[in-house]
Amino acid sequence: MNVTGRHGDELVGARRARHVHSSQPWSDPVSATEYLAGLGGYETTGAIADPGIRRIEAITTGLGSPNRRFPSVHITGTNGKGSTTAMTTRLLRSQGLRVGTYTSPHLSDVTERIAIDERPVSAEQFAEALGNVAWMARRIGVTPSWFE
């Protein structure tokens, strides 16, 4: 869960980072879905070939570390994560904050995992963000996992 200030600071860090123009590969919903489908990882194979944070750290650093631009709450555990996330989101929003959430798994579409102020991101928003990640990964020679 990511939180931004009262003044509507941009939540999606990739937009603050180096922006990829819509003409870049993977920046439309169809090609983003195809790109994601081609990545390996636990979600697709049931195995983690190279566990660790090396890849995602390299990608986020290349994008200007958007993950470090906002306070976050990380909710973990076996039971109650969804309820805790919903309550925390409502509490923070009642204080005038913008709140982004990421939950998993999804039921039918990966965009269900990401919401801004309790509204799922659109396929276009997801594709733009994924396009930024894919572009940076290719630029620095890293192949992310599906989850990353």
Side-chain angles (χ1 to χ4, degrees), residues 6 12 28 51 78 87 98 136:
R6 294 179 187 272
V12 181
D28 68 87
T78 304
M87 288 185 281
R98 291 193 70 203
M136 182 54 65

Side-chain angles (χ1 to χ4, degrees), residues 34-80:
E34 291 170 355
Y35 173 78
L36 194 57
L39 297 176
Y42 188 79
E43 287 78 7
T44 58
T45 65
I48 301 173
D50 182 23
I53 61 172
R54 176 190 56 78
R55 291 179 304 274
I56 197 65
E57 274 189 336
I59 293 168
T60 57
T61 297
L63 291 170
S65 300
N67 53 311
R68 299 195 186 278
R69 293 198 178 118
F70 45 81
S72 300
V73 177
H74 188 176
I75 300 169
T76 66
T78 304
N79 296 313

Side-chain angles (χ1 to χ4, degrees), residues 5-132:
R6 294 179 187 272
H7 302 290
D9 293 343
E10 187 60 50
L11 177 66
V12 181
R15 289 180 187 234
R16 277 192 176 170
R18 298 176 187 135
H19 180 75
V20 175
H21 298 286
S22 59
S23 62
Q24 291 289 335
W26 318 293
S27 59
D28 68 87
V30 172
S31 61
T33 300
E34 291 170 355
Y35 173 78
L36 194 57
L39 297 176
Y42 188 79
E43 287 78 7
T44 58
T45 65
I48 301 173
D50 182 23
I53 61 172
R54 176 190 56 78
R55 291 179 304 274
I56 197 65
E57 274 189 336
I59 293 168
T60 57
T61 297
L63 291 170
S65 300
N67 53 311
R68 299 195 186 278
R69 293 198 178 118
F70 45 81
S72 300
V73 177
H74 188 176
I75 300 169
T76 66
T78 304
N79 296 313
K81 293 180 297 294
S83 299
T84 301
T85 298
M87 288 185 281
T88 304
T89 297
R90 293 271 170 95
L91 175 67
L92 294 169
R93 290 201 63 220
S94 76
Q95 299 303 302
L97 298 172
R98 291 193 70 203
V99 180
T101 57
Y102 176 88
T103 58
S104 67
H106 61 276
L107 296 176
S108 60
D109 189 86
V110 69
T111 59
E112 296 168 22
R113 293 178 177 226
I114 306 165
I116 300 173
D117 290 336
E118 301 177 85
R119 287 174 289 170
V121 297
S122 68
E124 291 76 20
Q125 289 172 305
F126 178 79
E128 180 182 348
L130 181 61
N132 286 331

